[in-house]
Amino acid sequence: MPSLILVRHASTPAMRAARFPAGERADPAGLARAAGLAGTLPEGRWFTAPEPAARETAEALAPGRAEVVPELAVADPGRWRGLPYADVALAEPDALRRWREDPAQAPPGGESDAEMARRVAAWLEKWRATAAEPAVACCDAGPIRAALGHVLGLTGAGAFDLAPLSLTELSATPAGWRVRRVNHRPEPGAASVVKREA
């Protein structure tokens, strides 16, 4: 059963400031920690979301190996791109409330979580249908939550806590998926972070 490990990319200034994502680069300290995990993840295929922080994290973990996958991009926040959540809550409380409560609601000019979930699910099933070796994919929390929602049959999976550089491991089986772990935070220098049990 090939495993797919989803790595939340290293922290960014937007994460620390509680802002909507804006395609920022990863923090140098987070990338140094990611480099400390290099060599502990599978030797199979590597994928990355297109955002700079995801690509930089993948490069720190496995230099030159990751293929960019547009389907793993975070949902486009539209007009809220880069804005602090607190500012949006003050300026557009009704729109923010609808977005939080309804996965089908998109930020103004952006993409809904439901739309993101559909493209992530489509990519997951495409990978499962052809998977012959383990794989690792670096992306932000939104696509990882979307993957968990798909695997578990949930409408939304926003309640999952996913720390920067945490690992969420899924196993592909002929009958579907198994969740092996969520939000696992390995320590640099670990011999291996891949579970081997069937």
Side-chain angles (χ1 to χ4, degrees), residues 75-133:
D76 181 358
R79 190 173 71 218
W80 298 343
R81 177 182 297 272
L83 296 178
Y85 289 92
D87 289 0
V88 175
L90 287 173
E92 302 180 65
D94 292 337
L96 185 64
R97 178 185 51 76
R98 288 191 298 271
W99 172 73
R100 284 180 169 156
E101 293 176 356
D102 183 359
Q105 286 290 321
E111 179 186 28
S112 72
D113 286 343
E115 291 169 319
M116 175 185 65
R118 282 192 289 274
R119 62 174 158 79
V120 169
W123 182 81
L124 280 174
E125 292 307 321
K126 179 180 175 184
W127 179 81
R128 184 172 70 89
T130 60
E133 60 183 341

Side-chain angles (χ1 to χ4, degrees), residues 30-97:
L31 293 177
R33 186 168 183 276
L37 297 173
T40 66
L41 290 162
E43 289 297 317
R45 295 186 70 182
W46 280 74
F47 305 101
T48 178
E51 289 86 16
R55 288 188 280 110
E56 290 170 340
T57 301
E59 185 65 16
L61 288 166
R65 293 184 57 193
E67 170 189 342
V68 175
V69 176
E71 292 89 343
L72 294 177
V74 70
D76 181 358
R79 190 173 71 218
W80 298 343
R81 177 182 297 272
L83 296 178
Y85 289 92
D87 289 0
V88 175
L90 287 173
E92 302 180 65
D94 292 337
L96 185 64
R97 178 185 51 76

